[in-house]
């Protein structure tokens, strides 16, 4: 399939791929149809950042969830642009959600990926201050926990949501609900009353802590258990079971002293503990996932380069078979003049000594469909290899892996291939194909010649 160069062409190509799959196996049919419908109604969306980000997400998910088992064919410019957009959403300032978006390529739970993106879009519509609110943080923490449960084993288990994320709508009448429960179940009365007293004591502790923070300067200190007053100590002696329970919960969930109350109400000790634990686990998780993702990207580029090398060799051999008379004459001329094929090709341009030989090849390429097709395939695979080499250098450079053996060996294999195809006329008269592709491959060829001790001094033709 021809690489897409526009969003409308891309969506059309994806639609064609999808049509080849049974309707019940099309995992992204709704998303694709929605984007196509929007673009048909408003072609200006091709320049809308938010819309393009959603297209980038569709491309990112296509091979995983569409059911086609195909990768979208994109032009290099379109591919680079969409890849850059897929990690961000316009207006999103919440760093945790941005980190989650950046790691969706490594997730294989379609529902989870969809929830992360829909949450990101909703939060992006809020003001920066609102994006930092407690409820947004708790929603993000929930997504983080789901991601870790789906794909990562953690040393620290997240506390149960029922203990750390109480429903605000039920906090006000919780005591009445528990009182009614104790009346319906007399045998549970003592236990319920004990839990009520324990909860009331925790609420009092939170209020005392908040008042102290409002009266004193905010100081960043390590988490320490809150100290109770004498009156509360007396209550502890009168309720030994509740006090023991509370003490153990305080040790498991220390209060972050010196933190300001979040918008919408005070942060309870259990909530502060959840957010700090979540931040720590999230940092560890993202660090590990980033390292794995970096290694996978580099490994994939190396595999792509090797695939390009294999394809190029196949097409090169095919071209020499389809245009055998020309290549035999080219090599014979080089032997007669006791020079290299590359030197002969340099003189096939206008006014060159072997201009007629160059014209012979270009006529053959234009008039023979088989020669033209295999030459185009050869040029395409060699160009793809050059692009992948540039991408590999960029990825490796950003991660201080430029001297990694896998990276260096891939470049050496590419340089050796360039030596093989230097005997093919280039796109322009007077050049070989390596020179037409560009300096990326050309420099690798020079390195290969130095390594192999090949004489690289070619005397250019005399134009006088």
């Amino acid at each position: 399939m021809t690489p897409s160069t526009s969003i409308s062409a891309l969506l059309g190509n994806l639609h064609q791929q999808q049509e080849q799959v049974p309707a019940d196996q099309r995992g992204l049919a709704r998303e694709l149809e929605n984007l196509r419908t929007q673009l048909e109604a408003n072609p200006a969306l091709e320049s809308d950042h938010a819309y393009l980000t959603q297209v980038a997400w569709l491309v990112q998910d296509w091979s995983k969830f569409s059911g086609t088992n195909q990768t979208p064919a994109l032009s290099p410019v379109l591919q680079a642009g969409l890849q850059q957009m897929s990690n961000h959403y316009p207006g999103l300032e919440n760093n945790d959600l941005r980190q989650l978006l950046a790691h969706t390529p490594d997730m294989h739970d379609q529902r989870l990926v969809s929830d992360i993106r829909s949450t990101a879009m909703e939060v992006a519509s809020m003001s920066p201050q609102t994006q930092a609110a407690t409820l947004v943080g708790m929603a993000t923490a929930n997504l983080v926990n789901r991601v870790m449960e789906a794909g990562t084993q953690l040393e620290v288990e997240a506390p149960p949501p029922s203990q750390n994320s109480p429903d605000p709508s039920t906090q006000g009448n919780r005591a009445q609900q528990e009182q009614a429960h104790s009346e319906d179940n007399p045998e549970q009365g003592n236990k319920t009353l004990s839990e009520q007293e324990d909860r009331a004591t925790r609420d009092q502790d939170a209020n005392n802590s908040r008042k102290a923070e409002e009266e004193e300067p905010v100081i960043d200190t390590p988490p320490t258990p809150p100290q109770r007053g004498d009156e509360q100590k007396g209550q502890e002696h009168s309720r030994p079971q509740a006090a023991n329970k509370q003490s153990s919960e305080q040790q498991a969930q220390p209060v972050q002293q010196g933190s300001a109350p979040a918008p919408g109400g005070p942060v309870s000790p259990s909530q502060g503990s959840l957010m700090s634990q979540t931040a720590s686990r999230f940092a560890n998780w993202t660090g590990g996932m980033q390292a794995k993702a970096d290694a996978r990207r580099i490994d994939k580029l190396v595999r792509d380069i090797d695939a390009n090398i294999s394809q190029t060799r196949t097409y090169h051999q095919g071209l020499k078979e389809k245009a055998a008379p020309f290549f035999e004459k080219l090599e014979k001329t080089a032997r007669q003049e006791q020079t290299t094929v590359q030197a002969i090709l340099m003189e096939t341009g206008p006014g060159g000594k072997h201009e007629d030989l160059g014209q012979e090849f270009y006529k053959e390429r234009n008039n023979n469909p088989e020669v033209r097709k295999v030459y185009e395939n050869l040029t395409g695979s060699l160009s793809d290899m050059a692009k992948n080499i540039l991408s590999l250098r960029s990825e490796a450079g950003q991660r201080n892996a430029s001297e990694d053996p896998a990276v260096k060996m891939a470049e050496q294999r590419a340089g050796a291939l360039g030596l093989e195809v230097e005997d093919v006329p280039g796109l322009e008269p007077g050049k070989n194909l390596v020179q037409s592709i560009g300096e990326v491959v050309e420099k690798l060829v020079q390195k290969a010649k130095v390594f192999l001790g090949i004489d690289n001094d070619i005397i250019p033709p005399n134009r006088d």
Side-chain angles (χ1 to χ4, degrees):
M1 185 172 289
T2 305
S4 303
T5 57
S6 68
I7 298 300
S8 57
L10 167 63
L11 297 180
N13 288 341
L14 296 183
H15 178 69
Q16 291 180 13
Q17 289 185 12
Q18 186 178 244
E19 289 295 308
Q20 302 173 9
V21 178
D24 59 348
Q25 298 179 19
R26 300 172 185 175
L28 295 173
R30 183 180 60 183
E31 291 83 352
L32 174 59
E33 185 60 28
N34 182 39
L35 291 171
R36 293 184 70 206
T37 302
Q38 291 183 56
L39 188 60
E40 288 175 0
N42 183 11
L45 287 176
E46 285 213 15
S47 301
D48 183 80
H49 196 166
Y51 176 84
L52 292 175
T53 301
Q54 295 177 55
V55 174
W57 290 344
L58 180 71
V59 171
Q60 186 182 92
D61 293 345
W62 192 255
S63 61
K64 291 190 294 185
F65 303 138
S66 68
T68 62
N69 293 323
Q70 297 185 55
T71 301
L74 308 173
S75 68
V77 173
L78 190 60
Q79 182 176 14
L82 293 179
Q83 185 174 1
Q84 181 70 20
M85 287 183 172
S86 64
N87 293 339
H88 306 284
Y89 192 83
L92 183 63
E93 301 293 337
N94 185 292
N95 288 330
D96 289 348
L97 279 174
R98 294 175 70 171
Q99 286 281 355
L100 283 174
L101 280 180
H103 289 288
T104 51
D106 305 306
M107 302 177 193
H108 296 274
D109 184 333
Q110 187 174 0
R111 175 72 178 275
L112 177 56
V113 170
S114 177
D115 288 348
I116 289 172
R117 289 171 179 163
S118 61
T119 302
M121 292 169 66
E122 180 180 358
V123 173
S125 66
M126 304 174 181
S127 66
Q129 293 78 10
T130 306
Q131 292 190 35
T134 301
L135 289 179
V136 173
M138 294 177 69
T140 305
N142 176 56
L143 290 173
V144 171
N145 285 334
R146 287 175 58 190
V147 169
M148 293 187 292
E149 288 171 3
T152 305
Q153 295 293 330
L154 298 174
E155 297 180 0
V156 181
E157 292 296 331
S162 61
Q163 296 179 7
N164 296 285
S165 303
D167 186 350
S169 64
T170 63
Q171 287 180 318
N173 62 353
R174 188 184 298 275
Q176 292 88 333
Q177 293 174 356
E178 293 179 345
Q179 178 65 33
H181 179 72
S182 66
E183 292 174 358
D184 295 337
N185 302 277
E187 66 276 11
Q188 298 294 330
N190 292 336
K191 179 180 178 180
T192 302
L193 288 173
S194 211
E195 290 176 349
Q196 284 182 269
E197 294 169 352
D198 179 49
R199 184 171 293 106
T201 303
R202 287 204 303 269
D203 292 341
Q204 183 63 37
D205 289 342
N207 290 333
N208 291 342
S209 176
R210 187 174 71 258
K211 291 178 180 178
E213 292 171 354
E214 293 172 351
E215 295 172 358
E216 297 178 2
V218 176
I219 301 176
D220 292 332
T221 58
T224 58
Q227 299 296 323
R228 297 182 177 179
D230 295 335
E231 178 182 353
Q232 292 163 337
K233 290 182 180 179
Q235 293 176 357
E236 291 175 4
H237 289 299
S238 65
R239 296 182 287 98
Q241 292 181 350
N244 289 340
K245 178 180 178 182
Q246 181 181 353
S247 176
S248 62
E249 289 183 358
Q250 287 177 330
Q251 292 177 3
Q253 301 178 346
V255 179
Q256 293 283 358
Q257 294 184 351
S259 58
V267 179
S268 70
S270 59
Q271 290 174 347
S273 177
L274 170 63
M275 299 307 288
S276 61
Q277 290 181 13
T278 298
S280 176
R281 291 198 306 273
F282 185 69
N284 292 335
W285 176 79
T286 53
M289 291 295 289
Q290 186 64 49
K292 292 179 181 178
D294 291 347
R296 281 196 297 271
R297 278 194 289 270
I298 290 177
D299 289 345
K300 182 182 183 304
L301 285 169
V302 170
R303 290 195 301 270
D304 290 345
I305 290 172
D306 286 338
N308 297 145
I309 291 173
S310 177
Q311 288 180 338
T312 300
R313 283 201 172 102
T314 300
Y315 295 139
H316 181 218
Q317 185 62 35
L319 178 64
K320 297 190 77 170
E321 292 174 358
K322 300 297 183 183
F326 166 77
F327 283 100
E328 290 174 357
K329 181 182 292 187
L330 180 63
E331 293 171 0
K332 180 179 179 181
T333 301
R335 287 195 299 271
Q336 289 175 343
E337 297 190 10
Q338 297 182 347
T339 186
T340 64
V341 169
Q342 293 76 34
I344 298 298
L345 290 176
M346 289 181 67
E347 300 187 39
T348 57
K353 178 180 178 181
H354 298 290
E355 181 180 2
D356 57 338
L357 194 58
Q359 291 299 319
E360 180 180 339
F361 176 77
Y362 291 109
K363 287 180 182 178
E364 179 73 8
R365 190 184 74 183
N366 293 331
N367 298 331
N368 188 329
E370 291 185 341
V371 173
R372 181 171 65 251
K373 181 174 179 58
V374 72
Y375 184 83
E376 290 174 351
N377 289 338
L378 173 61
T379 304
S381 63
L382 199 59
S383 297
D384 288 342
M385 185 186 75
K387 295 173 187 174
N388 285 327
I389 289 172
L390 285 174
S391 297
L392 178 63
R393 287 177 175 175
S394 176
E395 291 283 350
Q398 293 175 15
R399 291 155 184 82
N400 296 321
S402 299
E403 298 302 317
D404 186 285
V407 175
K408 303 302 289 184
M409 292 179 67
E411 291 187 343
Q412 290 174 5
R413 291 192 294 271
L417 172 74
L419 281 173
E420 299 174 23
V421 298
E422 272 193 317
D423 63 352
V424 177
L427 296 170
E428 308 90 350
K431 290 185 177 181
N432 63 51
L433 188 55
V434 170
Q435 292 171 325
S436 293
I437 295 301
E439 65 177 1
V440 175
V441 180
E442 195 173 2
K443 287 183 177 180
L444 291 177
V445 170
Q446 303 301 331
K447 290 182 179 180
K449 288 180 177 180
V450 171
F451 178 77
L452 297 173
I454 298 176
D455 184 8
N456 194 42
D457 293 330
I458 300 176
I459 301 174
N462 187 355
R463 302 294 186 186
D464 297 335

